Short mmCIF file of all heavy atoms in Angstrom, two decimals:
data_model
loop_
_atom_site.label_atom_id
_atom_site.label_comp_id
_atom_site.label_asym_id
_atom_site.label_seq_id
_atom_site.Cartn_x
_atom_site.Cartn_y
_atom_site.Cartn_z
N MET A 1 -8.61 -51.30 98.14
CA MET A 1 -8.29 -52.04 96.94
C MET A 1 -7.81 -51.07 95.86
O MET A 1 -8.31 -49.95 95.79
CB MET A 1 -9.49 -52.77 96.41
CG MET A 1 -10.02 -53.83 97.36
SD MET A 1 -8.94 -55.24 97.59
CE MET A 1 -8.83 -55.82 95.97
N ASN A 2 -6.91 -51.53 95.07
CA ASN A 2 -6.41 -50.78 93.94
C ASN A 2 -6.96 -51.41 92.67
O ASN A 2 -7.88 -52.22 92.75
CB ASN A 2 -4.87 -50.72 93.96
CG ASN A 2 -4.35 -49.74 94.95
OD1 ASN A 2 -4.91 -48.67 95.12
ND2 ASN A 2 -3.33 -50.10 95.66
N PRO A 3 -6.39 -51.13 91.55
CA PRO A 3 -6.94 -51.64 90.27
C PRO A 3 -7.04 -53.19 90.27
O PRO A 3 -6.24 -53.88 90.90
CB PRO A 3 -5.95 -51.18 89.27
CG PRO A 3 -5.25 -50.00 89.82
CD PRO A 3 -5.25 -50.27 91.32
N VAL A 4 -8.00 -53.61 89.49
CA VAL A 4 -8.18 -55.06 89.22
C VAL A 4 -8.02 -55.22 87.73
O VAL A 4 -8.62 -54.51 86.97
CB VAL A 4 -9.61 -55.53 89.64
CG1 VAL A 4 -9.82 -56.99 89.22
CG2 VAL A 4 -9.81 -55.37 91.14
N TYR A 5 -7.11 -56.13 87.33
CA TYR A 5 -6.83 -56.36 85.94
C TYR A 5 -7.32 -57.78 85.61
O TYR A 5 -7.23 -58.68 86.46
CB TYR A 5 -5.33 -56.24 85.65
CG TYR A 5 -4.80 -54.87 85.96
CD1 TYR A 5 -4.15 -54.63 87.15
CD2 TYR A 5 -4.93 -53.84 85.04
CE1 TYR A 5 -3.67 -53.39 87.44
CE2 TYR A 5 -4.45 -52.60 85.31
CZ TYR A 5 -3.78 -52.36 86.53
OH TYR A 5 -3.31 -51.13 86.81
N PHE A 6 -7.78 -57.99 84.40
CA PHE A 6 -8.22 -59.31 83.98
C PHE A 6 -7.83 -59.58 82.55
O PHE A 6 -7.61 -58.67 81.78
CB PHE A 6 -9.72 -59.48 84.18
CG PHE A 6 -10.53 -58.60 83.23
CD1 PHE A 6 -10.94 -59.06 82.02
CD2 PHE A 6 -10.85 -57.29 83.63
CE1 PHE A 6 -11.64 -58.24 81.16
CE2 PHE A 6 -11.59 -56.51 82.78
CZ PHE A 6 -11.98 -56.94 81.55
N GLY A 7 -7.73 -60.85 82.28
CA GLY A 7 -7.40 -61.29 80.90
C GLY A 7 -8.16 -62.57 80.65
O GLY A 7 -8.96 -62.99 81.46
N GLY A 8 -7.91 -63.20 79.54
CA GLY A 8 -8.58 -64.41 79.18
C GLY A 8 -8.39 -65.54 80.17
O GLY A 8 -9.26 -66.40 80.34
N ASP A 9 -7.23 -65.56 80.87
CA ASP A 9 -6.99 -66.66 81.79
C ASP A 9 -6.38 -66.19 83.11
O ASP A 9 -5.71 -66.94 83.81
CB ASP A 9 -6.06 -67.68 81.12
CG ASP A 9 -4.71 -67.10 80.75
OD1 ASP A 9 -4.52 -65.84 80.80
OD2 ASP A 9 -3.82 -67.86 80.33
N PHE A 10 -6.62 -64.94 83.50
CA PHE A 10 -6.09 -64.49 84.80
C PHE A 10 -6.94 -63.32 85.32
O PHE A 10 -7.67 -62.66 84.60
CB PHE A 10 -4.65 -64.05 84.71
CG PHE A 10 -4.43 -62.74 83.94
CD1 PHE A 10 -4.44 -61.52 84.65
CD2 PHE A 10 -4.27 -62.72 82.60
CE1 PHE A 10 -4.25 -60.32 83.95
CE2 PHE A 10 -4.10 -61.52 81.89
CZ PHE A 10 -4.09 -60.35 82.59
N LEU A 11 -6.82 -63.09 86.59
CA LEU A 11 -7.40 -61.94 87.29
C LEU A 11 -6.35 -61.51 88.34
O LEU A 11 -5.88 -62.32 89.10
CB LEU A 11 -8.67 -62.35 87.98
CG LEU A 11 -9.37 -61.26 88.75
CD1 LEU A 11 -10.24 -60.40 87.83
CD2 LEU A 11 -10.22 -61.87 89.86
N THR A 12 -6.03 -60.23 88.35
CA THR A 12 -5.03 -59.69 89.30
C THR A 12 -5.69 -58.66 90.17
O THR A 12 -6.33 -57.74 89.66
CB THR A 12 -3.86 -59.04 88.55
OG1 THR A 12 -3.31 -60.03 87.68
CG2 THR A 12 -2.82 -58.55 89.51
N VAL A 13 -5.60 -58.80 91.45
CA VAL A 13 -6.10 -57.87 92.44
C VAL A 13 -4.91 -57.30 93.20
O VAL A 13 -4.07 -58.04 93.70
CB VAL A 13 -7.06 -58.51 93.43
CG1 VAL A 13 -7.54 -57.54 94.47
CG2 VAL A 13 -8.22 -59.14 92.67
N THR A 14 -4.75 -55.97 93.24
CA THR A 14 -3.69 -55.32 93.95
C THR A 14 -4.23 -54.68 95.21
O THR A 14 -5.13 -53.93 95.19
CB THR A 14 -3.05 -54.23 93.07
OG1 THR A 14 -2.69 -54.84 91.80
CG2 THR A 14 -1.80 -53.64 93.72
N LYS A 15 -3.62 -55.02 96.34
CA LYS A 15 -4.08 -54.48 97.60
C LYS A 15 -3.22 -53.30 98.03
O LYS A 15 -2.11 -53.10 97.55
CB LYS A 15 -4.03 -55.54 98.70
CG LYS A 15 -2.60 -55.98 99.06
CD LYS A 15 -2.68 -56.87 100.30
CE LYS A 15 -1.25 -57.16 100.75
NZ LYS A 15 -0.53 -56.05 101.27
N ASP A 16 -3.76 -52.48 98.91
CA ASP A 16 -2.99 -51.42 99.54
C ASP A 16 -1.89 -52.02 100.41
O ASP A 16 -2.12 -53.06 101.05
CB ASP A 16 -3.87 -50.52 100.36
CG ASP A 16 -4.89 -49.73 99.55
OD1 ASP A 16 -4.51 -49.36 98.39
OD2 ASP A 16 -6.01 -49.50 100.01
N PRO A 17 -0.71 -51.42 100.46
CA PRO A 17 0.38 -51.99 101.24
C PRO A 17 0.07 -52.17 102.74
O PRO A 17 0.61 -53.07 103.37
CB PRO A 17 1.52 -50.99 101.09
CG PRO A 17 1.19 -50.18 99.90
CD PRO A 17 -0.33 -50.18 99.80
N ASP A 18 -0.80 -51.37 103.30
CA ASP A 18 -1.12 -51.48 104.71
C ASP A 18 -2.20 -52.51 105.02
O ASP A 18 -2.56 -52.71 106.19
CB ASP A 18 -1.52 -50.12 105.26
CG ASP A 18 -2.75 -49.55 104.63
OD1 ASP A 18 -3.06 -49.91 103.44
OD2 ASP A 18 -3.45 -48.73 105.22
N ARG A 19 -2.70 -53.21 104.02
CA ARG A 19 -3.72 -54.30 104.22
C ARG A 19 -3.08 -55.63 104.22
O ARG A 19 -2.05 -55.87 103.61
CB ARG A 19 -4.79 -54.21 103.11
CG ARG A 19 -5.47 -52.84 102.98
CD ARG A 19 -6.26 -52.45 104.22
NE ARG A 19 -7.38 -53.34 104.44
CZ ARG A 19 -8.60 -53.00 104.36
NH1 ARG A 19 -8.98 -51.76 104.16
NH2 ARG A 19 -9.54 -53.93 104.57
N ASP A 20 -3.70 -56.60 104.90
CA ASP A 20 -3.19 -57.94 105.05
C ASP A 20 -4.01 -58.89 104.22
O ASP A 20 -5.22 -58.93 104.29
CB ASP A 20 -3.23 -58.36 106.54
CG ASP A 20 -2.55 -59.68 106.79
OD1 ASP A 20 -2.24 -60.41 105.89
OD2 ASP A 20 -2.33 -59.94 108.00
N TRP A 21 -3.29 -59.68 103.33
CA TRP A 21 -4.03 -60.61 102.44
C TRP A 21 -4.90 -61.62 103.24
O TRP A 21 -5.91 -62.03 102.76
CB TRP A 21 -3.02 -61.39 101.60
CG TRP A 21 -2.62 -60.67 100.35
CD1 TRP A 21 -1.35 -60.31 100.04
CD2 TRP A 21 -3.42 -60.21 99.28
NE1 TRP A 21 -1.33 -59.68 98.83
CE2 TRP A 21 -2.58 -59.60 98.34
CE3 TRP A 21 -4.78 -60.25 99.00
CZ2 TRP A 21 -3.07 -59.04 97.17
CZ3 TRP A 21 -5.28 -59.72 97.88
CH2 TRP A 21 -4.41 -59.11 96.94
N SER A 22 -4.46 -61.98 104.45
CA SER A 22 -5.22 -62.95 105.21
C SER A 22 -6.64 -62.47 105.52
O SER A 22 -7.55 -63.26 105.66
CB SER A 22 -4.47 -63.31 106.48
OG SER A 22 -4.39 -62.19 107.35
N HIS A 23 -6.83 -61.15 105.57
CA HIS A 23 -8.16 -60.58 105.79
C HIS A 23 -8.93 -60.29 104.53
O HIS A 23 -10.15 -60.12 104.53
CB HIS A 23 -8.06 -59.29 106.62
CG HIS A 23 -7.45 -59.50 107.96
ND1 HIS A 23 -8.09 -60.16 109.02
CD2 HIS A 23 -6.27 -59.15 108.46
CE1 HIS A 23 -7.30 -60.16 110.05
NE2 HIS A 23 -6.18 -59.60 109.76
N LEU A 24 -8.24 -60.24 103.40
CA LEU A 24 -8.84 -59.89 102.15
C LEU A 24 -9.18 -61.07 101.24
O LEU A 24 -10.12 -60.98 100.45
CB LEU A 24 -7.91 -58.93 101.36
CG LEU A 24 -7.59 -57.65 102.04
CD1 LEU A 24 -6.49 -56.90 101.23
CD2 LEU A 24 -8.81 -56.78 102.17
N LYS A 25 -8.41 -62.12 101.30
CA LYS A 25 -8.53 -63.22 100.36
C LYS A 25 -9.93 -63.80 100.29
O LYS A 25 -10.51 -63.91 99.22
CB LYS A 25 -7.50 -64.31 100.69
CG LYS A 25 -7.48 -65.45 99.72
CD LYS A 25 -6.40 -66.43 100.06
CE LYS A 25 -6.43 -67.58 99.08
NZ LYS A 25 -5.39 -68.62 99.40
N ALA A 26 -10.52 -64.21 101.37
CA ALA A 26 -11.83 -64.86 101.38
C ALA A 26 -12.94 -63.97 100.82
O ALA A 26 -13.66 -64.38 99.93
CB ALA A 26 -12.18 -65.38 102.80
N PRO A 27 -13.02 -62.70 101.27
CA PRO A 27 -14.11 -61.86 100.69
C PRO A 27 -13.90 -61.56 99.21
O PRO A 27 -14.84 -61.47 98.46
CB PRO A 27 -14.02 -60.56 101.49
CG PRO A 27 -13.09 -60.78 102.61
CD PRO A 27 -12.36 -62.02 102.36
N ILE A 28 -12.63 -61.40 98.75
CA ILE A 28 -12.38 -61.16 97.34
C ILE A 28 -12.76 -62.37 96.54
O ILE A 28 -13.45 -62.26 95.49
CB ILE A 28 -10.88 -60.82 97.12
CG1 ILE A 28 -10.58 -59.42 97.71
CG2 ILE A 28 -10.52 -60.81 95.64
CD1 ILE A 28 -9.16 -59.06 97.74
N LEU A 29 -12.33 -63.56 96.94
CA LEU A 29 -12.70 -64.77 96.20
C LEU A 29 -14.20 -64.97 96.19
O LEU A 29 -14.79 -65.39 95.15
CB LEU A 29 -12.03 -66.01 96.82
CG LEU A 29 -10.49 -66.07 96.62
CD1 LEU A 29 -9.89 -67.21 97.38
CD2 LEU A 29 -10.14 -66.12 95.14
N ALA A 30 -14.88 -64.72 97.30
CA ALA A 30 -16.36 -64.85 97.35
C ALA A 30 -17.02 -63.89 96.37
O ALA A 30 -17.93 -64.26 95.66
CB ALA A 30 -16.86 -64.56 98.78
N GLU A 31 -16.53 -62.65 96.29
CA GLU A 31 -17.09 -61.66 95.38
C GLU A 31 -16.90 -62.09 93.94
O GLU A 31 -17.80 -61.94 93.08
CB GLU A 31 -16.48 -60.30 95.65
CG GLU A 31 -17.21 -59.17 94.91
CD GLU A 31 -18.60 -58.92 95.41
OE1 GLU A 31 -18.90 -59.14 96.60
OE2 GLU A 31 -19.43 -58.47 94.58
N ILE A 32 -15.72 -62.61 93.64
CA ILE A 32 -15.43 -63.06 92.26
C ILE A 32 -16.37 -64.23 91.87
O ILE A 32 -16.95 -64.23 90.82
CB ILE A 32 -13.93 -63.46 92.14
CG1 ILE A 32 -13.05 -62.24 92.25
CG2 ILE A 32 -13.71 -64.21 90.84
CD1 ILE A 32 -11.55 -62.57 92.43
N MET A 33 -16.49 -65.18 92.76
CA MET A 33 -17.32 -66.35 92.48
C MET A 33 -18.79 -65.92 92.39
O MET A 33 -19.50 -66.40 91.48
CB MET A 33 -17.18 -67.41 93.57
CG MET A 33 -15.84 -68.05 93.57
SD MET A 33 -15.33 -68.72 91.96
CE MET A 33 -16.55 -69.97 91.68
N ASP A 34 -19.25 -65.04 93.24
CA ASP A 34 -20.63 -64.56 93.17
C ASP A 34 -20.91 -63.89 91.81
O ASP A 34 -21.98 -64.08 91.20
CB ASP A 34 -20.98 -63.56 94.26
CG ASP A 34 -21.09 -64.23 95.64
OD1 ASP A 34 -21.18 -65.45 95.69
OD2 ASP A 34 -21.11 -63.46 96.66
N HIS A 35 -19.95 -63.10 91.37
CA HIS A 35 -20.14 -62.42 90.06
C HIS A 35 -20.20 -63.40 88.93
O HIS A 35 -21.12 -63.33 88.12
CB HIS A 35 -18.98 -61.44 89.85
CG HIS A 35 -19.05 -60.81 88.49
ND1 HIS A 35 -19.95 -59.74 88.26
CD2 HIS A 35 -18.48 -61.08 87.30
CE1 HIS A 35 -19.87 -59.41 86.96
NE2 HIS A 35 -19.02 -60.21 86.36
N PHE A 36 -19.29 -64.31 88.87
CA PHE A 36 -19.30 -65.28 87.75
C PHE A 36 -20.45 -66.24 87.78
O PHE A 36 -20.98 -66.58 86.73
CB PHE A 36 -17.98 -66.05 87.69
CG PHE A 36 -16.87 -65.23 87.07
CD1 PHE A 36 -15.83 -64.74 87.83
CD2 PHE A 36 -16.87 -64.90 85.73
CE1 PHE A 36 -14.83 -63.97 87.27
CE2 PHE A 36 -15.91 -64.11 85.15
CZ PHE A 36 -14.88 -63.66 85.91
N THR A 37 -20.95 -66.60 88.92
CA THR A 37 -22.11 -67.50 88.98
C THR A 37 -23.41 -66.73 88.71
O THR A 37 -24.43 -67.34 88.34
CB THR A 37 -22.20 -68.25 90.32
OG1 THR A 37 -22.26 -67.27 91.39
CG2 THR A 37 -21.05 -69.17 90.53
N SER A 38 -23.38 -65.40 88.80
CA SER A 38 -24.57 -64.59 88.56
C SER A 38 -24.91 -64.52 87.07
O SER A 38 -26.02 -64.24 86.68
CB SER A 38 -24.41 -63.19 89.10
OG SER A 38 -23.53 -62.42 88.27
N GLY A 39 -23.87 -64.74 86.20
CA GLY A 39 -24.09 -64.61 84.78
C GLY A 39 -24.06 -63.18 84.28
O GLY A 39 -24.21 -62.91 83.09
N ALA A 40 -23.71 -62.25 85.16
CA ALA A 40 -23.58 -60.83 84.80
C ALA A 40 -22.34 -60.64 83.90
O ALA A 40 -21.40 -61.42 84.04
CB ALA A 40 -23.51 -59.95 86.02
N PRO A 41 -22.36 -59.68 82.99
CA PRO A 41 -21.16 -59.48 82.16
C PRO A 41 -20.01 -58.97 83.00
O PRO A 41 -20.20 -58.33 84.02
CB PRO A 41 -21.68 -58.40 81.17
CG PRO A 41 -22.77 -57.72 81.85
CD PRO A 41 -23.43 -58.70 82.70
N LEU A 42 -18.80 -59.29 82.55
CA LEU A 42 -17.64 -58.84 83.25
C LEU A 42 -17.46 -57.31 83.16
O LEU A 42 -17.13 -56.66 84.14
CB LEU A 42 -16.40 -59.50 82.66
CG LEU A 42 -15.08 -59.22 83.35
CD1 LEU A 42 -15.12 -59.64 84.83
CD2 LEU A 42 -13.93 -59.96 82.68
N ILE A 43 -17.83 -56.76 82.00
CA ILE A 43 -17.78 -55.32 81.81
C ILE A 43 -19.19 -54.85 81.43
O ILE A 43 -19.83 -55.40 80.55
CB ILE A 43 -16.83 -55.00 80.65
CG1 ILE A 43 -15.44 -55.52 80.95
CG2 ILE A 43 -16.80 -53.48 80.38
CD1 ILE A 43 -14.51 -55.41 79.80
N GLU A 44 -19.65 -53.84 82.18
CA GLU A 44 -21.04 -53.35 81.91
C GLU A 44 -21.23 -52.79 80.52
O GLU A 44 -22.26 -53.03 79.93
CB GLU A 44 -21.41 -52.32 82.97
CG GLU A 44 -21.64 -52.93 84.33
CD GLU A 44 -22.07 -51.92 85.35
OE1 GLU A 44 -22.37 -50.76 85.01
OE2 GLU A 44 -22.14 -52.29 86.55
N ASP A 45 -20.27 -52.07 79.99
CA ASP A 45 -20.40 -51.48 78.67
C ASP A 45 -19.49 -52.30 77.69
O ASP A 45 -18.62 -51.73 77.05
CB ASP A 45 -19.99 -50.00 78.72
CG ASP A 45 -20.42 -49.28 77.45
OD1 ASP A 45 -21.12 -49.86 76.60
OD2 ASP A 45 -20.02 -48.08 77.32
N ALA A 46 -19.75 -53.60 77.63
CA ALA A 46 -18.91 -54.46 76.84
C ALA A 46 -18.89 -54.09 75.37
O ALA A 46 -17.88 -54.31 74.66
CB ALA A 46 -19.35 -55.92 77.03
N GLU A 47 -19.96 -53.55 74.82
CA GLU A 47 -20.02 -53.17 73.41
C GLU A 47 -18.95 -52.13 73.11
O GLU A 47 -18.29 -52.20 72.08
CB GLU A 47 -21.40 -52.71 73.06
CG GLU A 47 -21.56 -52.50 71.56
CD GLU A 47 -23.01 -52.16 71.20
OE1 GLU A 47 -23.89 -52.91 71.65
OE2 GLU A 47 -23.19 -51.17 70.51
N ALA A 48 -18.84 -51.12 73.95
CA ALA A 48 -17.83 -50.08 73.76
C ALA A 48 -16.39 -50.68 73.81
O ALA A 48 -15.54 -50.26 73.02
CB ALA A 48 -17.97 -48.98 74.78
N VAL A 49 -16.19 -51.60 74.70
CA VAL A 49 -14.87 -52.22 74.79
C VAL A 49 -14.60 -53.08 73.59
O VAL A 49 -13.43 -53.15 73.14
CB VAL A 49 -14.78 -53.04 76.10
CG1 VAL A 49 -13.45 -53.83 76.15
CG2 VAL A 49 -14.90 -52.11 77.29
N ALA A 50 -15.59 -53.73 73.04
CA ALA A 50 -15.42 -54.60 71.87
C ALA A 50 -14.90 -53.81 70.66
O ALA A 50 -14.27 -54.37 69.79
CB ALA A 50 -16.70 -55.31 71.59
N ASP A 51 -15.18 -52.52 70.62
CA ASP A 51 -14.72 -51.66 69.51
C ASP A 51 -13.22 -51.36 69.55
O ASP A 51 -12.64 -50.93 68.61
CB ASP A 51 -15.54 -50.37 69.44
CG ASP A 51 -16.99 -50.62 69.07
OD1 ASP A 51 -17.25 -51.65 68.46
OD2 ASP A 51 -17.82 -49.77 69.41
N GLU A 52 -12.60 -51.56 70.71
CA GLU A 52 -11.21 -51.29 70.86
C GLU A 52 -10.38 -52.36 70.23
O GLU A 52 -10.82 -53.51 69.99
CB GLU A 52 -10.83 -51.18 72.35
CG GLU A 52 -11.49 -49.98 73.04
CD GLU A 52 -11.04 -49.87 74.49
OE1 GLU A 52 -10.06 -50.49 74.89
OE2 GLU A 52 -11.72 -49.13 75.21
N GLU A 53 -9.10 -52.02 69.96
CA GLU A 53 -8.21 -53.04 69.39
C GLU A 53 -7.95 -54.14 70.36
O GLU A 53 -7.90 -53.97 71.56
CB GLU A 53 -6.84 -52.38 69.04
CG GLU A 53 -6.99 -51.34 67.87
CD GLU A 53 -5.60 -50.77 67.56
OE1 GLU A 53 -4.78 -51.47 66.99
OE2 GLU A 53 -5.40 -49.61 67.92
N VAL A 54 -7.74 -55.36 69.82
CA VAL A 54 -7.47 -56.50 70.63
C VAL A 54 -6.01 -56.94 70.33
O VAL A 54 -5.62 -57.07 69.18
CB VAL A 54 -8.43 -57.70 70.33
CG1 VAL A 54 -8.02 -58.91 71.08
CG2 VAL A 54 -9.84 -57.27 70.65
N TYR A 55 -5.23 -57.10 71.36
CA TYR A 55 -3.86 -57.56 71.23
C TYR A 55 -3.71 -58.92 71.83
O TYR A 55 -4.26 -59.18 72.86
CB TYR A 55 -2.93 -56.56 71.94
CG TYR A 55 -3.02 -55.18 71.38
CD1 TYR A 55 -3.86 -54.19 71.94
CD2 TYR A 55 -2.21 -54.80 70.27
CE1 TYR A 55 -3.96 -52.94 71.40
CE2 TYR A 55 -2.32 -53.50 69.75
CZ TYR A 55 -3.17 -52.57 70.30
OH TYR A 55 -3.26 -51.32 69.80
N GLU A 56 -2.89 -59.74 71.22
CA GLU A 56 -2.73 -61.10 71.70
C GLU A 56 -1.22 -61.44 71.77
O GLU A 56 -0.41 -60.77 71.15
CB GLU A 56 -3.40 -62.14 70.79
CG GLU A 56 -4.92 -61.95 70.80
CD GLU A 56 -5.59 -62.94 69.88
OE1 GLU A 56 -4.96 -63.83 69.36
OE2 GLU A 56 -6.85 -62.86 69.74
N GLY A 57 -0.91 -62.49 72.52
CA GLY A 57 0.48 -62.96 72.59
C GLY A 57 1.42 -61.92 73.22
O GLY A 57 1.02 -61.25 74.16
N GLU A 58 2.64 -61.86 72.74
CA GLU A 58 3.61 -60.91 73.25
C GLU A 58 3.16 -59.47 73.17
O GLU A 58 3.40 -58.65 74.10
CB GLU A 58 4.95 -61.02 72.48
CG GLU A 58 5.97 -61.85 73.22
CD GLU A 58 7.28 -61.86 72.45
OE1 GLU A 58 7.92 -60.80 72.30
OE2 GLU A 58 7.65 -62.91 71.98
N THR A 59 2.42 -59.13 72.14
CA THR A 59 1.93 -57.76 71.93
C THR A 59 0.99 -57.38 73.10
O THR A 59 1.05 -56.26 73.57
CB THR A 59 1.16 -57.63 70.62
OG1 THR A 59 2.06 -58.04 69.57
CG2 THR A 59 0.77 -56.20 70.36
N ALA A 60 0.17 -58.31 73.57
CA ALA A 60 -0.76 -58.03 74.65
C ALA A 60 -0.02 -57.65 75.93
O ALA A 60 -0.52 -56.89 76.74
CB ALA A 60 -1.65 -59.25 74.89
N GLN A 61 1.18 -58.19 76.09
CA GLN A 61 1.96 -57.89 77.32
C GLN A 61 2.63 -56.51 77.19
O GLN A 61 2.85 -55.86 78.20
CB GLN A 61 2.98 -58.96 77.55
CG GLN A 61 2.36 -60.31 77.82
CD GLN A 61 3.39 -61.42 77.87
OE1 GLN A 61 4.58 -61.14 77.85
NE2 GLN A 61 2.95 -62.66 77.98
N VAL A 62 2.95 -56.10 76.01
CA VAL A 62 3.69 -54.89 75.84
C VAL A 62 2.77 -53.63 75.74
O VAL A 62 3.03 -52.64 76.36
CB VAL A 62 4.57 -54.90 74.55
CG1 VAL A 62 5.20 -53.58 74.28
CG2 VAL A 62 5.58 -56.03 74.68
N VAL A 63 1.66 -53.78 75.07
CA VAL A 63 0.76 -52.67 74.78
C VAL A 63 0.24 -51.98 76.06
O VAL A 63 0.32 -50.77 76.20
CB VAL A 63 -0.38 -53.06 73.84
CG1 VAL A 63 -1.43 -51.92 73.77
CG2 VAL A 63 0.18 -53.36 72.48
N PRO A 64 -0.30 -52.74 77.08
CA PRO A 64 -0.83 -52.03 78.22
C PRO A 64 0.22 -51.16 78.97
O PRO A 64 -0.10 -50.13 79.48
CB PRO A 64 -1.30 -53.17 79.13
CG PRO A 64 -1.59 -54.28 78.18
CD PRO A 64 -0.55 -54.13 77.12
N ARG A 65 1.48 -51.66 79.00
CA ARG A 65 2.50 -50.87 79.67
C ARG A 65 2.77 -49.55 78.91
O ARG A 65 3.09 -48.55 79.51
CB ARG A 65 3.82 -51.70 79.73
CG ARG A 65 3.67 -52.80 80.75
CD ARG A 65 5.02 -53.49 80.94
NE ARG A 65 4.74 -54.89 80.96
CZ ARG A 65 5.39 -55.83 80.33
NH1 ARG A 65 6.40 -55.50 79.55
NH2 ARG A 65 5.05 -57.06 80.42
N SER A 66 2.70 -49.56 77.61
CA SER A 66 3.03 -48.34 76.83
C SER A 66 1.86 -47.42 76.70
O SER A 66 2.04 -46.28 76.28
CB SER A 66 3.55 -48.75 75.43
OG SER A 66 2.57 -49.40 74.74
N ARG A 67 0.69 -47.77 77.12
CA ARG A 67 -0.48 -46.89 77.03
C ARG A 67 -0.66 -45.99 78.24
O ARG A 67 -1.50 -45.12 78.24
CB ARG A 67 -1.76 -47.69 76.86
CG ARG A 67 -1.94 -48.24 75.46
CD ARG A 67 -3.32 -48.81 75.34
NE ARG A 67 -3.59 -49.10 73.98
CZ ARG A 67 -4.72 -49.54 73.49
NH1 ARG A 67 -5.72 -49.74 74.34
NH2 ARG A 67 -4.94 -49.75 72.24
N SER A 68 0.14 -46.17 79.28
CA SER A 68 -0.07 -45.40 80.51
C SER A 68 0.42 -44.00 80.48
O SER A 68 1.02 -43.46 79.67
CB SER A 68 0.50 -46.09 81.70
OG SER A 68 1.70 -46.73 81.44
#
């Protein structure tokens, strides 16, 4: 697995090119559902992330690309 990105209304999982989605989809979806039903925070150090700037709308789409 490569990076996982999330937003207010999406979650993106990027697989390695040599892996097949048919073998990954079910375990990934199960892990996501287990996490959300557990009530655990999405980010362990959420307080530190909350101190960062928040971008919305078109700006939210542009800023991550320019920070790399």
Side-chain angles (χ1 to χ4, degrees):
M1 297 293 298
N2 282 320
V4 175
Y5 299 98
F6 65 92
D9 61 351
F10 72 92
L11 178 83
T12 302
V13 177
T14 306
K15 69 172 186 65
D16 292 325
D18 61 335
R19 304 297 294 245
D20 188 346
W21 276 120
S22 64
H23 299 289
L24 299 173
K25 185 177 177 180
I28 290 170
L29 291 175
E31 190 67 30
I32 292 167
M33 292 307 297
D34 288 348
H35 176 79
F36 281 109
T37 57
S38 75
L42 186 57
I43 301 172
E44 288 183 9
D45 194 6
E47 188 173 310
V49 174
D51 292 338
E52 293 183 16
E53 292 181 72
V54 176
Y55 299 94
E56 295 181 5
E58 259 184 67
T59 306
Q61 296 173 6
V62 174
V63 171
R65 287 187 224 134
S66 63
R67 283 189 169 185
S68 37

